[in-house]
Amino acid sequence: MSDVDSKKRTQPAWQAPTGSKNSQLYLYNSLTRQRELFIPQNGKQVLWYSCGPTVYDASHMGHARSLHIFDILRRILSEYFNYDVVYCMNITDIDDKIIRRARQNYLYEEYKKTVQCPMKLLQDVQPAVKVYQEKLLNETDPDKKTMLEKILKKVEDGVTKLKQYLNNDSSQDNSVIQKVLEDSRDVLADWLDAKSGHEVTDNSIFSLLPKYWEEEYHRDMASINVLPADVLTRVSDYIPEVVEYVKKIIDNGYGYVSNGSVYFSVSTFDNDPNHSYAKLVPEAVGDCKALEEGEGDLSISQDRLDEKKSQVDFAVWKKSKPGEPAWDSPWGKGRPGWHIECSVMASCILGESLDIHTGGFDLRFPHHDNELAQAEAYYGNDHWVRYFLHSGHLTIQGCKMSKSLKNFITIKDALENHTSRQLRLVFLLHSWKDTLDYSDNTMESAVQYEKFIGEFFLTVKDILRNAADGPEKFLKWGESELKLNEQFQECKCKVHDALCDSVDTRSAMERMRDLVGNSNIYIRDMKAAKLLPNSILLRNIAVYLTKILKIFGAIEGDETIGFPMSVGDNNTNVEDTVMPYVKVFADFRDKVRQVAREQKVVEVLKLCDEVRDDILPELGVRLEDHEGQPTVVKLVDRETLMKEKEQMKKLAEEKQRKKEEAKQKERERQAAKEAQRRIPPSELFSNLNDQYSQFDDRGIPTHDAKGEKLSNKQVKKLTKQYEQQEKVHNEYLKSQSKD
């Protein structure tokens, strides 16, 4: 056997490809204020706790933003990165805001039942206004000051009308009283609470309000496609656990009892070499305003402040005052502090160390910093949370959206103008950790994105309906297909890199939009060349985009491609049911139009256009006619088509208006031109006495208005104008003589 033969019979060494480095998931961690490589503590399992709502009023778009963001992050970690997420969220149903609002609502409703006399109403509103005016004078926050001014203005206007009503003896208009009552609700409720709040003793009054708003909250979340938590905790269900948690904090040396309340000793905790207070916002330590807001409106009286060893200490258990709900504890009747609630509930479900904790940006200090301190004091560790993710604010015209500022738009109100998908898209199109200003322009960007992507899906579906079956559908790839596929693969890489970069959905959405734009160019070029677009490649692109948008929560249902059509009563997909019939009709219409063109039957062509423009849109069907191509059939919801029709009507009217304006300008120009032709050259400059003072025998100016002689250049220019007018005028005279 030769050497060559023996070499051929020996398997050669194999070289592994070098490949490229895989992107890894990084998350922006508020604990370090930078992107950190995400490493769960237990393999693929992720223990995640999220601060939920305090349920005392309607959920607004500020809540919708945070909840959408956490829903998007959760879906992407679960469905894109394939982590096994255990998602726990709390409902705060015991809180100073809830207690105050529940008391005020109760007292106000009782007051409404008793007040019958307008004079009595006036006597009560006037002192209530004075209390509110004093509140306004002491307020330093400009946004809150503006809100209080608006409330007072409305009430003061109401008081004026009520006085006029009382001065009119013949007036029997009870609606004035009701209007003043309603406009004065905040002022009266505040006044009634200060006067009689301590008399409210029925604990059920404090539970009815949060129960009602929690039910509304869950309805709102379902309406905007936010997934329910794996575990939902309520403070009212965890009172025994709170008591035991507080006991251990005291036993560990970080809490102290004072006058029936229990406070967390910040200095003791911070001086321990194993602990550090205010990990998230260390620069905020000593911020009295933030600390007071964290303690709650009902917990910042002077007697409460005097109970604490230090102003920076905070309550973990509050002694209940008259007019507040109360539970038994070793320290007397009381209720949980706000911060302890989350530490206890998260610990009960997820244990001594969480992978992720999420919440709004404004909760960092003192709420989340106090949560961390309590839990780490309880467990004796320094890593209760590994990654803290905070969502950015939602503002309206630069002002933070807030219940306390009464400048919020409820989720229900927002859904009257935009769909759930459009709300989600607007959040996907912006960075989750940055401030977002909610406006018509912001929402319009989401509407246009949805329309752009949606039209692509409809176009691809039409191409697939008309594509060949069997082996014939596998068309040879040319340069155009190779280029589009390269753009497709590049898009997938860039989307992946964006999601690895702290879940940058904004960049991912932009890359997806670029891919749709490139696909549209490909489809356009193929149609222009009268070639069939590659249906398999386009389908793969559409399926990918649909998959990503499903992961983002922007598409519900089982659709393989695109936004799903509404489902009928028997759970049948409308598109699957209706499209075969619509397609048969569209093909028939194409043949009718072809015959009508050949035989020049104009009326039939008009009827075909009428079906396309007026009848089918009412049924949610759009037909798009393309010269030399089969009609494109798209099922679109009726409301969208009606809006399109209205826009087209407006555009046509605007086009006609501009056309009429152009015609009128042309008529005026011709009239001016005609008037100019009639002027004899000798009179051309005769009316310009403000510019010229002397003329030659033909009427051409020789001196300016000041009597100074014109230069030769100026005279030459004027003479040229004179000669031109002479020529034009002579032509006019000739035309007149012919007539």
Side-chain angles (χ1 to χ4, degrees), residues 345-442:
M345 292 184 289
S347 296
C348 285
I349 303 301
L350 303 175
E352 65 181 29
S353 188
L354 320 180
D355 291 300
I356 294 176
H357 191 321
T358 47
F361 183 81
D362 54 333
L363 296 179
R364 294 176 310 149
F365 184 88
H367 184 53
H368 287 157
D369 270 326
N370 288 354
E371 272 188 51
L372 284 166
Q374 292 161 161
E376 292 177 1
Y378 178 86
Y379 285 111
N381 66 22
D382 65 346
H383 52 262
W384 187 59
V385 174
R386 297 292 189 172
Y387 298 84
F388 239 122
L389 314 182
H390 288 98
S391 60
H393 288 314
L394 188 77
T395 60
I396 301 179
Q397 295 177 340
C399 181
K400 180 192 166 190
M401 191 180 291
S402 165
K403 289 178 186 174
S404 61
L405 295 176
K406 298 183 184 295
N407 70 333
F408 61 90
I409 298 169
T410 67
I411 292 173
K412 284 186 176 65
D413 289 341
L415 287 174
E416 288 182 5
N417 299 314
H418 296 97
T419 66
S420 170
R421 183 187 300 128
Q422 288 163 354
L423 295 183
R424 185 168 289 254
L425 287 173
V426 85
F427 301 134
L428 285 164
L429 288 164
H430 292 80
S431 171
W432 59 266
K433 64 184 179 63
D434 295 338
T435 298
L436 168 63
D437 197 55
Y438 181 75
S439 66
D440 290 340
N441 288 338
T442 309

Side-chain angles (χ1 to χ4, degrees), residues 26-31 34 36 38 46 48-51 66 69-70 73-74 77 280 355-361 363-364 368 385-392 432-433 502-503:
Y26 283 76
L27 294 175
Y28 183 87
N29 189 356
S30 297
L31 286 165
Q34 63 184 17
E36 301 290 355
F38 181 59
V46 175
W48 187 333
Y49 180 81
S50 190
C51 275
S66 290
I69 283 169
F70 304 145
L73 293 173
R74 176 189 175 190
L77 261 67
L280 290 164
D355 291 300
I356 294 176
H357 191 321
T358 47
F361 183 81
L363 296 179
R364 294 176 310 149
H368 287 157
V385 174
R386 297 292 189 172
Y387 298 84
F388 239 122
L389 314 182
H390 288 98
S391 60
W432 59 266
K433 64 184 179 63
S502 196
V503 192

Side-chain angles (χ1 to χ4, degrees), residues 423-472:
L423 295 183
R424 185 168 289 254
L425 287 173
V426 85
F427 301 134
L428 285 164
L429 288 164
H430 292 80
S431 171
W432 59 266
K433 64 184 179 63
D434 295 338
T435 298
L436 168 63
D437 197 55
Y438 181 75
S439 66
D440 290 340
N441 288 338
T442 309
M443 288 308 307
E444 183 59 25
S445 67
V447 171
Q448 291 305 316
Y449 190 98
E450 178 189 45
K451 184 176 180 181
F452 184 66
I453 301 290
E455 284 298 318
F456 171 68
F457 287 143
L458 292 171
T459 299
V460 172
K461 285 181 179 182
D462 183 76
I463 289 170
L464 293 173
R465 281 192 295 270
N466 291 288
D469 290 327
E472 292 181 4

Side-chain angles (χ1 to χ4, degrees), residues 203-213:
N203 258 19
S204 66
I205 290 170
F206 303 106
S207 62
L208 289 173
L209 179 75
K211 279 181 181 176
Y212 172 81
W213 285 116

Side-chain angles (χ1 to χ4, degrees), residues 18 30 34 43 64-65 89 97 225 270 275 326 338-339 376 414 466 544 555 583 587 596 647 715:
T18 55
S30 297
Q34 63 184 17
R65 197 209 176 182
M89 190 188 77
K97 292 175 182 176
N225 192 29
D270 201 37
H275 294 301
W338 176 36
H339 314 298
E376 292 177 1
N466 291 288
Y544 167 76
I555 293 180
K583 188 71 176 68
D587 292 343
Q647 286 173 350
V715 172

Side-chain angles (χ1 to χ4, degrees), residues 572-584 619-621 635:
T572 303
N573 187 291
V574 172
E575 187 167 11
D576 291 344
T577 306
V578 171
M579 186 53 78
Y581 301 99
V582 178
K583 188 71 176 68
V584 167
L619 303 174
V621 179
L635 290 189

